[in-house]
Amino acid sequence: MKNRTTPNQHKPFPEFAEPLPNPIPYSIIDTTGKHWLPTNGMTSLSERKLLVPLVAEGRNVARHELAHVKWSPPRIPKVRYDVRYLLAVEDARLNLGLVKIDLPVELGPAELEQVRNLARGDLAERDVLGFTLRAIAAQGTNAEATILGELASHKEALRTLVFGHVRKVRIALLRARRRRGAPVADFRVVRALAARLARELDADLARHGLPRSLPFPLALAGAGCCLGHGPGGHALAGKKAGKESGSEAAELASGELRLVVAPLPHSTPSGAGARRGRGRAKQEGCTPRHFHRWAIDRAIFRHTARRRPGGTVLVDVSGSMSLDAAGIDSILSASAGAAVVALYSGTDKVGELRVVARKGHRADARDLVPFGRGNIVDEPALEWLATQPGPRIWISDGGVTGIGDQTSPALQQRCREIVERAGIQRVRTVREATRLLAAGPGRAGAA
Amino acid sequence: MSTPSRRTPDPKKPSPSTDWGFNERVLASPHVRTVYIWGPPGFGKTYAAYRVALKGPLYALTLTEDTPAAEIRGHYLPVGDRMEWRDGPVVLAMRTGARLVLNELSHAGPDCLSFLHPILENPDTAMLTLPTGETVRPAHGFTCFVTDNLPPEELPLALRDRFDVVLEVREPHPAALAGLDPRLVGLAVRSFSLEPERRVSLRSWLSVQRLLAEFDLREALMAVFGPARGGQIHDAMLLGEAQN
């Protein structure tokens, strides 16, 4: 099924990359959909935290962050210049090291487009310093050419300035690496290079009458320059999406669906006992219970057969829709504890489908908070529902959207087809859903 | 009695065997009759229960929610035109003084759990009266080893109280690690301290090792862990092996 991932499967293993073993595992934090973060990939070696997007496209970000775990010093040293010079050169050192060991960072088309937008934004705002640091940090990745390509339409003097500094850093890092006979240069080289870059670039910017400080605050330092959406990147990406929304409306794609199973600590009273049936008499088995049938048909053994009233309830919790613990309990009661209950919502281009009840157990109330306020992933969520045991019930107002919470006739048609094909019943309230479940499979569109 | 301690694993050495040495001494002790062994999957709990200090016959069964007590106690069977009693594995083990291994006790239904109470009693009071009217007492040498992934706190209090010994397994059996390629041993040791979502069991590492005979590392990892997880492990492995 397209557009479906399980975040846990994309969790990186920094513990395997770090030079010395440490029994304390890293905290892996998902940055997907968190646009308030300065970038989508960050590492704190001292706190043992790794922030990466837990989606398929996030592997490149994870690869770069693992390189920090492997080669970066535990703490960023204090320097007399803006620390972002140091971070940019360090990113370049790591990316070139990754190329050396055949693990190059190769961004996908969407990420490259985002980086191009950021670089274009830098130049539009005459932020040559930010642009140069971005180009330096992108060395060793396929984003380097994309960023430098933006210079083509600018003056020769500007091109010479940027290319000159990028080339200097690259050559120095490669020479130091060769001298050392290792995949990466020593970190001391990075410090020296960053100090020289800060000095020389500042002088060059002053000579050309360009701004000599970065427009975004120092608090954002620590972010990789080339890989993340970075400051202002989201807004730029949004503008771009707005421009193209008209032409792409007909083929609007759904967001990426992340499948999550919430912890299910609470058992429902109706769950355990109700799942067991009364049993059937059989001629073979190990539990003789119906001795009176010996003379009739010798079917003296009892076979406990599970009833499968079950069913699956998918709840759209975007916008005004919501689901509370009492609602889940009523669904589980109506299905003799056997229903699977999942809720979904999304933000921007990612959504989450969270299983909140299964096998008579439900999630805590705090795990019922929606992932986002948009739909985004109606189509993949319905595809998931179509593969679940019936009756299949979809609690929703019927509105479906894709990336950017936009809708299109084609998307609506695709969702309609899934609903019809899988015999999904759409209702508006939990009460209607429980009524359908209680009525049994015959009444509720079991397929 | 000392309890197993959590140590910093050394990737260059196999997992320390002191914990397992202690565990094996406990399992072999003639003073220990009922043992609850618990820990993450793939650490050799079942291996130890089946092999360590085994002297006589062994009866092993895996319990599920639907396993009836009658299946493990025994039941009547139609033979020709009459009913004949057949002992189940628990009664057989009691009669012959054998080792009884019960896997996944926490999955068992209430029927089964209640049935085990008299079996796990101390030798003076352990007895079972069968539907035939016969009362069976455990013969000399009868032991019951229970393996599970969950801690004993998940068991009913009365049942938990009936175990002579509770052994927690946090490291794989050294015999199992010894069979692992040196390239994988360090990673395997590091992976055991990860949280459950990312923990890689010894079984998976052994699968990777077997596949390496035919596939390259990337392909073997993809096959065992799937493309997403396998790719992440591959990247981390290559970086880990790279020079600092």
Side-chain angles (χ1 to χ4, degrees):
Chain A
M1 185 186 291
K2 60 179 183 176
N3 296 332
R4 195 174 124 181
T5 58
T6 310
N8 277 342
Q9 291 185 351
H10 298 287
K11 283 189 173 175
F13 291 80
E15 298 83 1
F16 294 177
E18 60 187 340
L20 293 171
N22 190 323
I24 303 167
Y26 269 80
S27 294
I28 310 295
I29 299 163
D30 191 4
T31 57
T32 311
K34 294 173 182 165
H35 296 292
W36 60 88
L37 291 172
T39 181
N40 58 357
M42 285 181 276
T43 304
S44 170
L45 299 179
S46 53
E47 294 174 34
R48 296 186 72 75
K49 284 182 184 168
L50 205 76
L51 289 89
V52 287
L54 300 182
V55 291
E57 294 74 26
R59 186 170 167 193
N60 284 297
V61 181
R63 199 175 264 186
H64 178 84
E65 300 311 318
L66 288 183
H68 277 294
V69 172
K70 171 74 180 176
W71 289 313
S72 288
R75 289 182 195 284
I76 301 285
K78 285 185 180 172
V79 288
R80 289 168 184 267
Y81 47 88
D82 191 321
V83 75
R84 282 164 287 191
Y85 287 98
L86 186 73
L87 295 175
V89 180
E90 173 66 349
D91 276 354
R93 178 178 82 114
L94 301 182
N95 290 334
L96 290 170
L98 286 168
V99 172
K100 182 74 176 170
I101 62 167
D102 287 334
L103 287 178
V105 173
E106 287 175 349
L107 306 188
E111 291 163 306
L112 282 177
E113 189 58 39
Q114 196 141 326
V115 170
R116 179 180 287 121
N117 281 338
L118 291 171
R120 200 173 288 164
D122 291 340
L123 292 175
E125 292 166 17
R126 297 183 74 232
D127 180 15
V128 176
L129 173 54
F131 181 88
T132 309
L133 292 186
R134 205 181 295 285
I136 287 171
Q139 287 188 77
T141 75
N142 60 345
E144 185 184 358
T146 305
I147 293 172
L148 292 175
E150 289 302 307
L151 280 174
S153 57
H154 286 76
K155 288 180 185 168
E156 176 69 29
L158 183 63
R159 286 208 299 272
T160 309
L161 185 156
V162 176
F163 274 109
H165 286 291
V166 171
R167 200 179 300 121
K168 258 186 225 169
V169 170
R170 185 187 192 92
I171 290 170
L173 285 173
L174 292 178
R175 277 185 183 157
R177 180 171 90 179
R178 199 177 310 127
R179 273 198 307 275
R180 192 168 170 245
V184 289
D186 194 278
F187 185 72
R188 280 174 293 191
V189 176
V190 173
R191 289 189 72 165
L193 268 177
R196 197 176 83 188
L197 179 70
R199 207 168 46 242
E200 294 178 358
L201 187 54
D202 187 66
D204 283 348
L205 292 172
R207 197 165 49 248
H208 287 82
L210 292 163
R212 291 160 60 192
S213 62
L214 289 160
F216 48 93
L218 191 64
L220 298 178
C225 296
C226 64
L227 296 174
H229 40 69
H234 182 50
L236 278 167
K239 277 183 202 166
K240 184 163 175 56
K243 274 185 210 163
E244 293 181 356
S245 61
S247 60
E248 290 187 355
E251 294 180 18
L252 181 69
S254 290
E256 181 172 326
L257 180 71
R258 298 140 34 86
L259 258 181
V260 175
V261 179
L264 308 174
H266 304 293
S267 60
T268 51
S270 58
R275 291 205 303 277
R276 201 174 287 274
R278 280 186 300 176
R280 300 178 65 185
K282 292 260 186 177
Q283 287 185 343
E284 63 277 341
C286 61
T287 322
R289 287 286 166 89
H290 311 289
F291 287 100
H292 63 283
R293 295 182 71 150
W294 177 254
I296 306 167
D297 57 3
R298 298 196 170 191
I300 60 168
F301 293 102
R302 173 179 166 233
H303 270 227
T304 50
R306 281 168 182 270
R307 281 170 57 205
R308 295 185 186 277
T312 310
V313 180
L314 179 66
V315 190
D316 163 8
V317 288
S318 64
S320 59
M321 304 286 291
S322 66
L323 182 70
D324 57 12
I328 299 180
D329 283 343
S330 66
I331 290 170
L332 291 178
S333 298
S335 64
V340 175
V341 184
L343 41 88
Y344 74 96
S345 60
T347 175
D348 194 17
K349 55 185 178 184
V350 180
E352 184 177 283
L353 187 149
R354 197 184 309 152
V355 175
V356 293
R358 196 166 63 180
K359 294 181 181 174
H361 288 74
R362 71 160 167 81
D364 197 74
R366 65 180 171 205
D367 287 320
L368 304 180
V369 178
F371 173 78
R373 297 189 65 81
N375 288 46
I376 317 294
V377 288
D378 293 285
E379 186 188 2
L382 284 170
E383 280 180 357
W384 173 86
L385 179 59
T387 63
Q388 300 303 305
R392 303 178 188 108
I393 298 169
W394 179 32
I395 304 180
S396 167
D397 57 6
V400 294
T401 68
I403 289 174
D405 218 11
Q406 306 287 314
T407 190
S408 76
L411 177 66
Q412 289 166 4
Q413 178 59 27
R414 292 201 297 272
C415 289
R416 243 192 321 270
E417 284 170 7
I418 299 168
V419 167
E420 284 168 15
R421 190 184 68 225
I424 293 169
Q425 294 249 326
R426 182 171 70 81
V427 296
R428 285 179 174 274
T429 62
V430 171
R431 183 177 290 183
E432 285 178 72
T434 53
R435 203 178 303 138
L436 275 174
L437 284 169
R443 296 281 305 278
Chain B
M1 185 191 293
S2 66
T3 52
S5 62
R6 191 179 283 270
R7 286 175 300 272
T8 305
D10 182 346
K12 290 176 186 164
K13 291 181 187 172
S15 179
S17 59
T18 46
D19 284 347
W20 270 107
F22 170 75
N23 288 352
E24 290 184 358
R25 272 173 50 216
V26 172
L27 292 176
S29 167
H31 306 293
V32 171
R33 214 174 132 266
T34 53
V35 184
Y36 186 79
I37 314 170
W38 70 281
F43 276 16
K45 300 182 296 294
T46 308
Y47 173 88
Y50 286 2
R51 301 282 179 86
V52 173
L54 180 66
K55 290 172 189 135
L58 169 79
Y59 294 92
L61 60 155
T62 300
L63 303 174
T64 71
E65 195 185 350
D66 286 335
T67 306
E71 186 179 324
I72 61 175
R73 176 193 61 189
H75 46 265
Y76 282 103
L77 212 66
V79 176
D81 57 352
R82 63 195 176 82
M83 301 295 286
E84 200 172 87
W85 174 259
R86 291 283 168 89
D87 286 337
V90 172
V91 174
L92 280 171
M94 288 172 74
R95 285 188 198 279
T96 57
R99 179 181 296 180
L100 173 68
V101 179
L102 302 173
N103 295 312
E104 315 298 347
L105 181 64
S106 62
H107 291 193
D111 180 31
C112 233
L113 292 177
S114 303
F115 169 74
L116 289 173
H117 283 196
I119 314 298
L120 298 171
E121 287 279 2
N122 64 56
D124 300 334
T125 50
M127 66 172 80
L128 191 65
T129 301
L130 301 176
T132 56
E134 181 192 4
T135 296
V136 181
R137 290 177 189 277
H140 177 72
F142 171 73
T143 52
C144 181
F145 291 2
V146 171
T147 71
D148 209 303
N149 298 132
L150 299 177
E153 287 71 26
E154 299 287 325
L155 297 177
L157 185 61
L159 195 61
R160 194 193 318 164
D161 189 48
R162 283 171 159 78
F163 289 103
D164 295 338
V165 167
V166 174
L167 295 177
E168 182 184 356
V169 174
R170 285 188 297 221
E171 288 165 352
H173 196 281
L177 265 184
L180 210 53
D181 185 276
R183 192 182 184 192
L184 301 179
V185 171
L187 294 173
V189 171
R190 289 188 189 203
S191 67
F192 300 143
S193 60
L194 300 181
E195 72 278 11
E197 293 87 33
R198 287 192 302 142
R199 189 177 296 145
V200 183
S201 77
L202 191 58
R203 284 193 194 99
S204 301
W205 289 118
L206 288 168
S207 299
V208 171
Q209 176 162 308
R210 282 193 296 273
L211 288 178
L212 281 175
E214 189 179 345
F215 301 94
D216 66 28
L217 178 68
R218 193 184 63 83
E219 291 170 332
L221 291 169
M222 299 269 185
V224 173
F225 300 106
R229 199 157 184 241
Q232 292 289 357
I233 294 176
H234 174 256
D235 289 357
M237 268 186 82
L238 285 197
L239 262 164
E241 289 171 357
Q243 191 183 337
N244 282 326

